[in-house]
Amino acid sequence: MSKLIRLLFVMAFAISFAVTTSAQRRNPDGERQQQPTTTANPTPRQPEEQAATRQQGGTPGQAERQPRQAPAPEEKFSVTHHTARVGGQTFEYTATAGNYIIKDDAGVPKASMFFVAYTKDGVQDPKTRPVAFVFNGGPGSASSFTHMGLGPKHVSLTPDGHAQGPAPYAYVDNEDSFFDATDMVFIDAVSTGYSRPMPGENPQQFYGVVNDATWFSDFVYQYVTRTERWLSPKFIIGESYGTTRAAEMANILQQRHQMYMNGVALLSSVGFGNWGADDRTEYWLPTIVCSGWFHKVLAPEWQKLTIEQVAQKAREFTHGPYAAALEKGDKIPAEEKASIAKELSAMTGLSEKYIQETNLRISPQRWFKELLRDKRLTVGRLDARFTGMDVDAAGERVEYDSSEASYEGAYVAAFQDWVRRELKWNSDAYYTISANVRPWDQGQPGGPAEALRSAMTEQTYLKVLVLCGYYDHATPFNGIENTFDHMNLEPSVKKNVSFEYYEGGHMMYIDKKAADKLHHDLDAWIEAGYKH
């Protein structure tokens, strides 16, 4: 019997050891377990709170049972030299791919943030050469799309922005890069790209409107200080959610680091104002109308107009008869509801019956499916010029975004090749294009708008350029227009805000015609943003 007991004991120990070893093998890089979900603190720099986060409690025995952690990353840099033709000129430039270890106010390393900086060679006096900090949004998106769309190299696409078939893909000199006007620094948010929290750090501290902008601002402070660019004109260029980040950063950089930006460019901007119940329905309508115009499904009196005229007429209807009708809710008279439905049908290409069934509120998610349903086609979200196909043509929601699917593979492949083959960034780390950063602390409603208003008012000379695509359903242009109309900017300050519009979508720079205009507009804006 004693032999049997000993045998059973040995077998139990062996099974326990095998399970533990198997678990370790499934986690070979030491990736930490997800910390308990908490709401991100809007002020992530309180040393006592950070200390509390690090002190997880427990006994040494408990600590030993935790998954082993990856070694802390160290700073490293790859410096390479290149030549590019931009704006009809040939430039020699230096590319620096690297990562900064960003610390909190107590000096504790918190995150490793990856970046690529492109700086023009031969500049004798840095204060004569601007520097722009550029990033995508998400939240949770790496900056590879702005990188390979706005940087010195860009993905080779068709003139209207479609990928040129399957691999092999190509990237070429970007004639429409802003590099002829400014040095450019592309930054990946924590948990995206090659940027990561330090081992053992709760990633939730990076996930929130204010938190995220604060860490980015600390990165900018580090870059400007280390590269001795304090006297250089400085600009921020954010795309999509990156516009929300840019708005917050303008104020945080001023208040936290006393660093004043020359300008903030909001490319395909989120409408970061404080919106009400029907506001989203209203702000989407002009983009729906413009997209219908592109697909030639509007009534003749609308279809004969230019895109600029269509957009303006749609704005006037949206914030006049349409807004008044929605405000009445269920009290709207049947005759008025029918009249609004008839006008909406003419300006959207949808049937009056369908619009009546939606209670005059056209859902963008349904619209992607409904507009070209009779052709068994869907419409793109990021760029409504693109069409796709679903297995169920009678369904309510699209299976995928046909615009993103067209060029995503080309962009990712081009960036991966460029950063490793040409920039010599050799890393075994995974480059995360899109990270799960939920839950995301949204902060105060309208907070980014107030942050930008405060920065602009305090400076009085901070320039803001808003860049909008007519066919962008991710960030419809009327939303950010309304945001600036309700920011309570004094006239002497509001004159520093300008808007430009493009016949393109969310990434308008994939279209050659739109990219040419974008290049001209941004170069002129940067040149006007500092004395030289």
Side-chain angles (χ1 to χ4, degrees):
M1 179 65 69
S2 61
K3 291 183 178 180
L4 177 60
I5 293 174
R6 285 197 299 272
L7 177 61
L8 291 173
F9 177 82
V10 170
M11 291 175 64
F13 177 81
I15 292 172
S16 174
F17 178 80
V19 170
T20 302
T21 304
S22 175
Q24 290 173 341
R25 278 198 295 266
R26 286 196 300 270
N27 197 18
D29 60 354
E31 184 174 316
R32 63 188 178 286
Q33 291 179 334
Q34 180 68 36
Q35 299 279 353
T37 299
T38 59
T39 300
N41 193 315
T43 54
R45 296 298 200 267
Q46 300 302 319
E48 64 273 18
E49 294 175 4
Q50 294 158 348
T53 300
R54 293 192 297 274
Q55 294 171 356
Q56 299 297 325
T59 65
Q62 289 174 324
E64 291 170 2
R65 288 195 295 272
Q66 294 295 317
R68 57 190 178 84
Q69 295 175 348
E74 297 180 353
E75 292 187 349
K76 70 173 185 177
F77 306 92
S78 173
V79 179
T80 52
H81 301 279
H82 309 266
T83 301
R85 186 167 181 80
V86 178
Q89 304 177 62
T90 299
F91 293 91
E92 293 184 349
Y93 65 95
T94 297
T96 303
N99 66 302
Y100 282 170
I101 303 301
I102 307 299
K103 303 177 181 179
D104 65 11
D105 290 348
V108 177
K110 289 290 184 176
S112 170
M113 293 186 71
F114 177 75
F115 70 97
V116 177
Y118 298 107
T119 54
K120 181 182 176 183
D121 291 344
V123 177
Q124 300 300 317
D125 187 354
K127 70 173 178 287
T128 65
R129 176 71 173 171
V131 57
F133 299 93
V134 191
F135 37 78
N136 278 93
S141 293
S143 294
S144 53
F145 288 95
T146 51
H147 196 147
M148 299 307 294
L150 306 178
K153 298 286 184 180
H154 77 139
V155 181
S156 181
L157 303 171
T158 63
D160 64 353
H162 287 75
Q164 294 183 334
Y169 304 110
Y171 48 86
V172 296
D173 285 349
N174 187 1
E175 280 278 359
D176 287 318
S177 174
F178 322 136
F179 186 64
D180 53 353
T182 179
D183 290 341
M184 308 178 80
V185 184
F186 294 88
I187 314 164
D188 285 337
V190 178
S191 296
T192 77
Y194 289 128
S195 296
R196 295 290 185 272
M198 295 298 280
E201 288 296 330
N202 186 346
Q204 200 63 42
Q205 66 188 294
F206 307 102
Y207 302 164
V209 172
V210 177
N211 294 30
D212 168 79
T214 302
W215 293 109
F216 262 79
S217 297
D218 286 2
F219 173 91
V220 170
Y221 173 86
Q222 287 291 329
Y223 182 87
V224 168
T225 301
R226 294 190 190 196
T227 59
E228 300 180 343
R229 300 298 297 267
W230 274 92
L231 294 182
S232 297
K234 292 173 282 293
F235 297 86
I236 299 173
I237 303 174
E239 178 184 294
S240 194
Y241 176 82
T243 60
T244 302
R245 177 186 295 137
E248 283 284 354
M249 284 177 64
N251 195 46
I252 292 173
L253 283 165
Q254 281 183 208
Q255 303 304 324
R256 181 170 169 78
H257 299 300
Q258 295 73 51
M259 184 182 296
Y260 285 50
M261 295 289 107
N262 290 65
V264 174
L266 308 176
L267 197 162
S268 299
S269 183
V270 174
F272 41 67
N274 190 4
W275 289 4
D278 277 328
D279 288 344
R280 293 180 183 276
T281 302
E282 295 170 16
Y283 302 154
W284 242 294
L285 183 57
T287 299
I288 287 174
V289 176
C290 288
S291 301
W293 178 88
F294 174 83
H295 287 288
K296 297 180 172 55
V297 298
L298 307 190
E301 65 269 23
W302 282 86
Q303 203 63 56
K304 68 181 182 181
L305 303 175
T306 66
I307 185 62
E308 294 82 8
Q309 292 171 332
V310 168
Q312 182 55 30
K313 192 174 179 181
R315 290 185 188 99
E316 293 169 357
F317 177 82
T318 296
H319 297 288
Y322 185 57
L326 296 186
E327 180 67 22
K328 295 175 183 178
D330 293 340
K331 293 182 180 180
I332 184 172
E335 299 80 8
E336 182 180 356
K337 186 175 183 180
S339 175
I340 294 293
K342 182 177 181 180
E343 185 61 33
L344 281 172
S345 177
M347 63 195 291
T348 63
L350 303 174
S351 71
E352 292 182 49
K353 180 177 182 293
Y354 177 84
I355 293 170
Q356 286 269 19
E357 290 172 346
T358 69
N359 292 319
L360 308 181
R361 293 162 174 83
I362 302 169
S363 163
Q365 296 301 325
R366 288 180 170 179
W367 177 86
F368 300 141
K369 192 81 171 180
E370 189 67 25
L371 184 71
L372 302 178
R373 187 186 294 276
D374 60 337
K375 299 178 181 178
R376 298 183 64 88
L377 295 175
T378 62
V379 176
R381 172 176 174 267
L382 294 180
D383 193 327
R385 299 176 304 157
F386 291 70
T387 59
M389 298 168 286
D390 286 347
V391 66
D392 180 11
E396 284 294 297
R397 300 293 181 97
V398 295
E399 296 176 13
Y400 66 101
D401 180 356
S402 53
S403 52
E404 186 175 38
S406 174
Y407 49 70
E408 184 177 38
Y411 264 85
V412 173
F415 174 81
Q416 291 279 17
D417 188 83
W418 170 248
V419 75
R420 298 183 71 87
R421 186 188 305 275
E422 301 297 336
L423 301 187
K424 309 301 181 186
W425 182 259
N426 298 315
S427 172
D428 292 333
Y430 185 82
Y431 190 86
T432 305
I433 299 294
S434 182
N436 181 4
V437 295
R438 301 293 188 270
W440 188 266
D441 184 357
Q442 299 293 343
Q444 295 297 319
E450 172 54 25
L452 185 55
R453 183 211 63 80
S454 178
M456 294 180 68
T457 301
E458 184 174 323
Q459 277 202 38
T460 72
Y461 54 77
L462 175 63
K463 300 291 192 297
V464 176
L465 177 61
V466 188
L467 307 158
C468 307
Y470 284 123
Y471 313 126
D472 174 10
H473 288 261
T475 55
F477 61 84
N478 196 225
I480 191 62
E481 289 173 340
N482 183 271
T483 296
F484 275 93
D485 286 342
H486 293 82
M487 277 175 59
N488 296 314
L489 291 168
E490 291 295 324
S492 60
V493 177
K494 192 168 184 177
K495 66 178 177 58
N496 292 328
V497 179
S498 55
F499 280 75
E500 295 292 344
Y501 299 87
Y502 304 88
E503 292 189 54
H506 197 62
M507 297 163 56
M508 70 278 291
Y509 45 83
I510 67 172
D511 181 273
K512 176 57 178 170
K513 178 181 175 182
D516 289 346
K517 182 179 185 304
L518 181 65
H519 179 205
H520 174 271
D521 293 341
L522 253 165
D523 270 16
W525 176 73
I526 291 171
E527 291 289 335
Y530 67 101
K531 296 179 181 179
H532 58 100

